[in-house]
Amino acid sequence: MDATVAAAFVPAARAHPVRASTTSAPAPAPDDATTVAAATAWLAQDPDPETQAELRALLRGAQSADETAITELHARFDERLAFGTAGLRGAIGTGSNRMNRVLVSQAAAGLAAFLIGTALPGQTPSVVIGYDGRKNSQVFAADSAAIMAGAGVRAILLPRLLPTPVLAFAVRHLDASAGVMVTASHNPAADNGYKVYLGGANSGSQIVSPDDAFIAAEIHRVATHTTIPDLPRGVYETAEETVVQAYIAATAATVGPPRAQVNAVYTAMHGVGWDTTRRVLEAAGYDLPTLVDAQIAPDPTFPTVAFPNPEEPGALDLAFATAREINAELIIANDPDADRLAIAIPDADAAGGYRRLTGNEVGAILGWRAAERAELAPIADDAATDDDADTSAPAPRSGTLACSIVSSPALKAVADAYGMRFEETLTGFKWVSRAPGLVFGYEEALGYLVNPTTVRDKDGISAALALLSLVSDLKNEGFTLADHLHHFSGRFGHFSSSQISVRVTDLSSISRVMDRLRSNPPVFIGRIRVDHIDDLAGGFLGLPPSDVLRIRLVGGARVMVRPSGTEPKLKVYLDTSSVVGTVVERQVAANAVLAELERGMRELIA
């Protein structure tokens, strides 16, 4: 957006069609007797003493006409935790609408049936299963391995708790038919989850439609017709440490020797990232960072943070304090399963002396790095096509940069400048990782894919190494990462972004906001006139249907509105840019529009 628009917030809008809401009326809730019967049947097949005791207490309360207990039973049994492209994710507890051993066992049996049903004649499908340090992750993983082995699938359990990127790597490394990672990533401590990857033609990416629906149907069949004690259990394998060693070697090989060592701080956010990160850094020749000791060991209670997500306010406070003690040049943070990366740099104007970079800032500079590397060493033909046989056109020799639709337009500016292909995908690395000819992909929620030839998912460890390598090169040349961001704005334009994230307890409130924006679309956001609105609910320009509104503003700014796919949140993404004037003038112009959009959107979604 140029400086004149930033100053004036005017111009005329074009008419735009807006899709009407198609939300159907919800089915009536089961009566108390039906829900109590479902809970009683569930109790009879539950192998977990903790959730057994939880459910017995609720049933006793219901028998005593305790309204709180009855309400809780309805919350846990009237619906089922949905299996979709994000797999399963929810609070740990008893009931079909919670994460527990019954639900996970049903999911494992359903996935096994899907794998057997889609295997080639005479082929035994295989699955590799990983788990992080959250509550019940190991037992959920072991249950899955035993049940899938009992169903006739070759099941391989990773040797210990490990980061999600190691599991994503193992699917390809072991040429497995599928992968399962038991993790809730950066969700609150009460949650756990179940991510599914597919091998073969899917190249180790997370599942997408229609496979998620096929798997969900098998899970429903198991839940309807089989009880957990009736599911056969078999003997599964435990993978050798060589799988982890192969990931470490492949990741360390993505960078050259350090040109200068960097004084850095690292936090694992009470997760499983440090041991693998340490071994990768050692293999690549980098000095080990100073650790945030209170957050370095896996701890499922996440005692030092309200939410174990580096994006959340306060999550990096201990890292900032540690950085001040050693005058660190860089802060590196992984989320609990180490598939995300947060970076912070010294900033005299920031409270505490350090500023966390946005996911868009990190994505832009890693994308720039990838473009420069691709220009110097174009990807080989087989790297561009082997995993992308479903594409009709070959990828350019220089490859593709890709990001999600809610990520900054900055990556497109880089791709255009280097003559590379740019792909915009739906939110989630299940989509980003499938971009044809991919050399780098990211999404603004701190997810980066820098080594698609080995891992087809976001990887906070390889991304940390790539960023550390970049900072090392810059330091050797007398520059900092802050300098590099300044240079980016000078070359490609200054891009500003912000996010409004509204956490809710009533999910229907999110639907009401989306319906209101569709039925009564805004003409202005703040004082900036709307140019047009793209409703992605029915699919748009080749993108699959998604509950997303993309609002284009006169002058080039953009607002995206969508419900979160993994948390009870409504998310609003704001993006502005300027290519006019000096870097400082570009920053002022873009930030002025950003502030106006944020003010206006907060009013609209209130």
Side-chain angles (χ1 to χ4, degrees):
M1 177 167 290
D2 61 38
T4 40
V5 175
F9 302 121
V10 274
R14 296 199 302 265
H16 57 277
V18 177
R19 177 182 177 275
S21 170
T22 57
T23 304
S24 58
D31 60 29
D32 293 353
T34 301
T35 297
V36 167
T40 302
W42 188 277
L43 178 61
Q45 61 176 324
D46 187 355
D48 188 333
E50 182 176 338
T51 47
Q52 285 177 11
E54 184 182 0
L55 185 48
R56 286 195 184 97
L58 290 173
L59 288 170
R60 284 196 300 270
Q63 290 169 354
S64 303
D66 181 340
E67 286 298 325
T68 300
I70 294 170
T71 298
E72 192 64 24
L73 284 173
H74 280 289
R76 292 166 182 259
F77 287 96
D78 288 0
E79 295 181 0
R80 183 177 180 86
L81 202 61
F83 182 93
T85 55
L88 295 167
R89 193 174 294 188
I92 297 170
T94 188
S96 59
N97 202 26
R98 298 289 187 270
M99 287 292 297
N100 50 67
R101 291 183 68 184
V102 175
L103 190 86
V104 166
S105 296
Q106 292 168 343
L111 177 58
F114 168 81
L115 294 176
I116 291 169
T118 55
L120 295 174
Q123 180 187 70
T124 299
S126 57
V127 64
V128 57
I129 301 169
Y131 57 96
D132 68 1
R134 282 180 177 266
K135 179 179 178 180
N136 286 353
S137 284
Q138 185 172 3
V139 71
F140 289 166
D143 279 345
S144 296
I147 287 170
M148 295 184 83
V153 175
R154 180 190 174 202
I156 307 165
L157 188 67
L158 290 184
R160 51 191 170 81
L161 53 85
L162 286 162
T164 292
V166 177
L167 181 278
F169 170 83
V171 175
R172 299 182 69 168
H173 181 70
L174 299 175
D175 194 23
S177 308
V180 170
M181 182 67 192
V182 183
T183 178
S185 192
H186 59 289
N187 273 40
D191 291 2
N192 213 326
Y194 202 80
K195 292 176 67 173
V196 177
Y197 300 78
L198 290 178
N202 291 273
S203 303
S205 292
Q206 293 181 55
I207 56 169
V208 295
S209 181
D211 289 330
D212 62 323
F214 297 148
I215 297 169
E218 293 289 358
I219 295 171
H220 182 264
R221 181 186 58 78
V222 170
T224 303
H225 299 293
T226 309
T227 63
I228 301 308
D230 292 333
L231 292 173
R233 290 174 172 253
V235 178
Y236 57 84
E237 303 170 36
T238 300
E240 300 290 338
E241 275 290 324
T242 52
V243 175
V244 184
Q245 293 164 0
Y247 169 83
I248 290 166
T251 304
T254 60
V255 301
R259 298 170 64 191
Q261 295 292 353
V262 179
N263 182 21
V265 162
Y266 175 86
T267 175
M269 203 65 65
H270 298 294
V272 297
W274 171 237
D275 180 67
T276 306
T277 299
R278 173 185 61 79
R279 294 169 66 184
V280 166
L281 295 178
E282 289 175 338
Y286 285 81
D287 286 352
L288 296 183
T290 298
L291 303 181
V292 181
D293 290 327
Q295 297 178 335
I296 212 65
D299 187 333
T301 67
F302 306 107
T304 69
V305 291
F307 295 99
N309 181 353
E311 289 183 295
E312 293 284 347
L316 293 180
D317 284 355
L318 289 179
F320 290 166
T322 305
R324 288 193 296 270
E325 291 174 4
I326 66 166
N327 196 27
E329 302 164 78
L330 186 71
I331 295 173
I332 300 169
N334 285 137
D335 70 336
D337 67 328
D339 65 347
R340 286 173 169 82
L341 168 71
I343 293 295
I345 60 174
D347 187 337
D349 295 328
Y354 286 84
R355 175 175 75 89
R356 182 182 67 79
L357 302 184
T358 67
N360 284 322
E361 287 176 309
V362 175
I365 57 178
L366 286 179
W368 186 11
R369 174 182 180 270
E372 289 193 319
R373 287 161 65 96
E375 186 176 58
L376 293 173
I379 59 175
D381 288 336
D382 58 349
T385 59
D386 279 356
D387 294 325
D388 305 298
D390 58 336
T391 63
S392 57
R397 291 286 297 176
S398 55
T400 299
L401 302 181
C403 65
S404 63
I405 56 175
V406 299
S407 300
S408 171
L411 192 64
K412 184 179 187 303
V414 174
D416 289 346
Y418 282 83
M420 300 178 72
R421 174 184 285 167
F422 172 73
E423 289 282 333
E424 200 173 34
T425 76
L426 290 183
T427 303
F429 262 84
K430 55 185 173 286
W431 301 110
V432 175
S433 67
R434 295 169 186 267
L438 184 69
V439 295
F440 172 75
Y442 94 98
E443 61 180 2
E444 52 72 43
L446 309 186
Y448 316 98
L449 199 171
V450 300
N451 56 341
T453 58
T454 53
V455 175
R456 283 299 176 104
D457 195 15
K458 56 184 174 290
D459 181 348
I461 297 173
S462 61
L465 181 63
L467 200 288
L468 189 60
S469 173
L470 173 61
V471 174
S472 172
D473 290 345
L474 291 170
K475 183 176 181 179
N476 183 66
E477 296 164 6
F479 296 110
T480 66
L481 201 53
D483 296 330
H484 199 55
L485 288 165
H486 187 90
H487 297 156
F488 185 98
S489 297
R491 177 165 180 181
F492 303 104
H494 183 77
F495 293 81
S496 292
S497 62
S498 182
Q499 183 184 134
I500 302 170
S501 185
V502 182
R503 187 178 291 271
V504 301
T505 54
D506 178 8
L507 288 175
S508 65
S509 63
I510 294 177
S511 299
R512 287 194 294 271
V513 171
M514 297 298 292
D515 289 345
R516 187 171 74 242
L517 292 174
R518 286 185 166 107
S519 62
N520 186 26
V523 177
F524 286 88
I525 297 180
R527 290 173 289 161
I528 308 176
R529 186 176 288 274
V530 172
D531 184 73
H532 66 281
I533 299 176
D534 301 322
D535 190 343
L536 278 61
F540 187 80
L541 295 180
L543 293 172
S546 184
D547 189 10
V548 177
L549 291 172
R550 176 163 53 194
I551 306 172
R552 301 282 192 184
L553 287 301
V554 170
R558 186 191 72 185
V559 175
M560 309 287 291
V561 188
R562 73 173 185 97
S564 170
T566 56
E567 297 179 89
K569 288 181 177 180
L570 177 70
K571 291 191 170 184
V572 180
Y573 306 83
L574 313 169
D575 288 285
T576 66
S577 63
S578 176
V579 296
V580 176
T582 65
V583 169
V584 172
E585 289 169 338
R586 295 175 182 190
Q587 292 171 339
V588 170
N591 290 338
V593 176
L594 191 69
E596 185 66 13
L597 289 179
E598 182 165 354
R599 183 187 67 81
M601 282 307 301
R602 288 191 182 278
E603 292 177 356
L604 282 173
I605 66 175

